Amino acid sequence: MRGEFARARYGSKCSEEREIEQERIIIRFGDLAVYPDNSNLEVLDQLKTIMTDPKVRIHVSLNIGEASATVWGCYLSEGYVDINSKYST
């Protein structure tokens, strides 16, 4: 994975190229590391429990610098999407 992905995805918003080395990426749900490969049954059971919480913190570290960002999201149920798809923008 290379920094060119950011430019391809975000165009001119990416001001500099960075090497993103896949082996340095860490993904956690709460305090539970799930990437790199950590898919044994015990971890999957812990992840299932975490995913039942009303709020789930997902942390993605690319290990390429000191910058950070917070992104908020929500569960979009099929009913919610159906109702809102009837509106035009």
Side-chain angles (χ1 to χ4, degrees):
M1 193 179 305
R2 296 181 48 89
E4 288 85 0
F5 169 78
R7 275 204 309 270
R9 176 71 174 95
Y10 302 108
S12 62
K13 292 181 184 177
C14 182
S15 62
E16 61 185 83
E17 180 179 333
R18 290 286 184 106
E19 290 289 326
I20 300 173
E21 299 173 21
Q22 186 171 352
E23 61 274 3
R24 297 184 69 198
I25 297 171
I26 299 169
I27 302 174
R28 293 191 313 263
F29 284 70
D31 293 329
L32 180 66
V34 296
Y35 185 88
D37 187 27
N38 196 1
S39 59
N40 64 54
L41 291 177
E42 181 180 328
V43 169
L44 292 176
D45 284 341
Q46 291 174 351
L47 183 57
K48 187 187 302 184
T49 300
I50 291 169
M51 296 301 290
T52 62
D53 289 343
K55 292 183 180 180
V56 177
R57 182 174 292 241
I58 302 170
H59 177 91
V60 177
S61 179
L62 302 177
N63 287 303
I64 60 172
E66 298 297 319
S68 66
T70 299
V71 179
W72 295 92
C74 64
Y75 172 68
L76 300 177
S77 68
E78 185 177 344
Y80 177 86
V81 172
D82 182 55
I83 289 168
N84 285 286
S85 68
K86 294 176 175 41
Y87 296 100
S88 62
T89 57

